[in-house]
Amino acid sequence: FDRQYFSPGIEHEFAHGSILGVAAVVAYQRYSAASLGLTAASTPDQRQWLPGAFSPQEESGYGTGVRLALRQEVIKGIAVDAGYQSRIDMEEFAAYRGVYSQPADLDIPARARVGLAFQASEKSWLNVTIERVMYSDISAFQSRNLPSRFLSMLGDSTSPSFDWEDLTVFSVGYTWSDGADQQWHVDLSTRTQP
């Protein structure tokens, strides 16, 4: 699974210390699943017992969304940040099927964040951020490549429920600006799975 973003945007300072940003988000995703060594032969002379090249099935697609951000300096040296990114629909992956012919839902979930920034020096800021990623809005996708022992348990009254849970990400960062057109960011954030 591979995901890449391109996000051009604009920012506007509409009052002293207040900045509004709007950006388009273009996402590219690629998903592939190896056939787990399974091959098919239509004639006896096909030499399937010889090792072949690794050639996973590969699907790719594009999606678009929007990102909004607001920064307000509440008092000198302390600013509040807030942002929202919309859900990005990756419709091309709906053709990829999983267990019980369930279509894939590999959309990129919406996310909302809020943070506080503290001015450390004339050209640098320290910030803390909490971000909520809304994975519960995305249907879980059960791949056919799950182990057979696990797949045999599906479909009866004891079958587990496949749902994503929302994810909360905490981060701490440092931003340095040269006062003109360059900024450097260093962030440390939690990394868990939904």
Side-chain angles (χ1 to χ4, degrees):
F1 187 77
D2 180 38
R3 180 181 293 160
Q4 299 171 10
Y5 293 100
F6 175 67
S7 184
I10 60 170
E11 290 183 343
H12 177 69
E13 187 171 2
F14 59 89
H16 181 68
S18 300
I19 299 172
L20 176 66
V22 178
V25 181
V26 179
Y28 170 75
Q29 284 187 159
R30 196 172 55 185
Y31 176 77
S32 64
S35 60
L36 298 179
L38 302 175
T39 59
S42 57
T43 61
D45 65 337
Q46 288 182 335
R47 296 161 59 156
Q48 63 183 5
W49 56 86
L50 294 176
F54 176 76
S55 58
Q57 178 177 358
E58 188 175 293
E59 302 283 339
S60 64
Y62 291 91
T64 58
V66 66
R67 182 180 297 146
L68 304 171
L70 178 65
R71 180 181 178 101
Q72 173 67 51
E73 194 168 349
V74 287
I75 60 173
K76 180 126 178 86
I78 298 177
V80 176
D81 291 313
Y84 177 79
Q85 178 180 305
S86 67
R87 177 177 173 166
I88 300 175
D89 188 20
M90 304 301 286
E91 193 61 39
E92 287 91 343
F93 290 103
Y96 195 83
R97 299 290 170 173
V99 176
Y100 304 123
S101 297
Q102 176 191 12
D105 193 0
L106 300 176
D107 294 348
I108 299 171
R111 53 186 62 218
R113 68 173 174 80
V114 65
L116 275 174
F118 305 95
Q119 190 168 20
S121 70
E122 186 179 325
K123 296 182 179 180
S124 63
W125 289 78
L126 294 172
N127 58 62
V128 288
T129 305
I130 299 173
E131 183 176 37
R132 187 73 168 176
V133 185
M134 280 73 107
Y135 275 102
S136 61
D137 295 339
I138 307 293
S139 298
F141 171 63
Q142 297 93 41
S143 172
R144 295 176 195 211
N145 295 333
L146 292 170
S148 298
R149 184 174 174 189
F150 180 77
L151 293 176
S152 67
M153 296 189 306
L154 301 178
D156 63 11
S157 61
T158 62
S159 179
S161 174
F162 290 95
D163 294 316
W164 294 113
E165 292 182 358
D166 289 343
L167 181 63
T168 303
V169 179
F170 302 95
S171 54
V172 177
Y174 177 78
T175 302
W176 178 84
S177 172
D178 68 355
D181 59 356
Q182 289 188 35
Q183 284 187 344
W184 291 85
H185 301 275
V186 177
D187 292 308
L188 177 64
S189 62
T190 58
R191 182 77 175 166
T192 57
Q193 297 298 319

